[in-house]
């Protein structure tokens, strides 16, 4: 995870230096590094890896938003939801893994909903239709866990 952390730090620096294209490239690299740590079975997947992948997705979306590439930002939000849905379907998850999925879904809901409200006029009509599916997908991830608390 050291390589991921280092790459993400570089991406954050580029972002704060307003070098958004460089930030996108570095965030894509960080995402690839985090995904390479993902194992074939959820039993071996660390909650930290799940969290790292979500941080990478959300950082990438932020960078796309800064260059006003709303279509790609929305696609990143969609891909992060698909990732959470896929890993959530795997049997044998630990409490820690389930918590990491839930926390990722909550953060995605906050960021994704805010994005959709702010930029609903900036994304295609096709992507606007997907917003309902996006919200339903998030609700499926959050609702079972939220009812436990």
């Amino acid at each position: 995870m050291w390589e991921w952390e280092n790459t993400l730090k570089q991406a954050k620096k580029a972002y704060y230096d307003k070098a958004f294209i460089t930030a996108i490239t570095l965030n894509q690299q960080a995402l690839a590094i985090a995904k390479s740590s993902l194992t074939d079975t959820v039993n071996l997947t660390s909650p930290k890896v799940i969290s790292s992948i979500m941080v990478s997705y959300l950082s990438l979306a932020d960078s796309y938003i800064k260059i006003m590439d709303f279509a790609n930002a929305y696609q990143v939000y969609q891909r992060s939801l698909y990732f959470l849905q896929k890993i959530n379907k795997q049997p044998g998850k630990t409490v820690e893994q389930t918590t990491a999925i839930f926390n990722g879904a909550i953060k995605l809901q906050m960021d994704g909903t805010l994005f959709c409200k702010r930029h609903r006029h900036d994304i295609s009509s096709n992507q606007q239709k997907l917003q309902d599916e996006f919200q339903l997908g998030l609700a499926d991830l959050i609702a079972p866990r939220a009812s436990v608390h």
Side-chain angles (χ1 to χ4, degrees):
M1 295 304 318
W2 176 87
E3 185 180 4
W4 172 81
E5 290 172 358
N6 187 45
T7 305
L8 191 65
K9 283 179 187 176
Q10 291 175 32
K12 284 182 180 183
K13 182 179 180 335
Y15 181 90
Y16 290 119
D17 289 345
K18 299 184 187 320
F20 301 118
I21 301 299
T22 301
I24 288 169
T25 301
L26 290 166
N27 279 312
Q28 289 169 332
Q29 289 173 9
L31 180 58
I33 292 164
K35 282 185 168 185
S36 72
S37 300
L38 193 62
T39 60
D40 292 333
T41 62
V42 74
N43 292 338
L44 301 175
T45 299
S46 157
K48 184 173 180 171
V49 170
I50 296 168
S51 299
S52 299
I53 290 171
M54 287 306 297
V55 166
S56 296
Y57 272 126
L58 296 174
S59 295
L60 181 57
D62 288 344
S63 296
Y64 277 124
I65 291 168
K66 283 296 190 180
I67 64 166
M68 301 177 75
D69 187 343
F70 304 119
N72 272 324
Y74 188 71
Q75 287 176 359
V76 170
Y77 287 126
Q78 285 288 98
R79 287 195 311 261
S80 64
L81 174 61
Y82 298 149
F83 162 72
L84 288 174
Q85 289 172 324
K86 179 182 175 184
I87 201 159
N88 193 51
K89 288 179 185 175
Q90 296 183 7
K93 291 181 300 297
T94 66
V95 172
E96 292 82 8
Q97 291 165 324
T98 302
T99 300
I101 293 166
F102 177 76
N103 290 339
I106 291 292
K107 180 65 173 149
L108 180 58
Q109 181 183 41
M110 291 180 347
D111 289 9
T113 300
L114 183 62
F115 171 81
C116 289
K117 284 180 182 177
R118 285 185 178 165
H119 302 290
R120 68 177 173 266
H121 301 295
D122 300 318
I123 58 177
S124 72
S125 59
N126 186 43
Q127 287 175 324
Q128 288 178 9
K129 292 174 190 173
L130 292 173
Q131 287 180 26
D132 288 339
E133 291 176 31
F134 181 79
Q135 294 300 328
L136 288 173
L138 283 169
D140 287 344
L141 287 171
I142 293 169
R145 176 85 177 167
S147 64
V148 173
H149 293 285

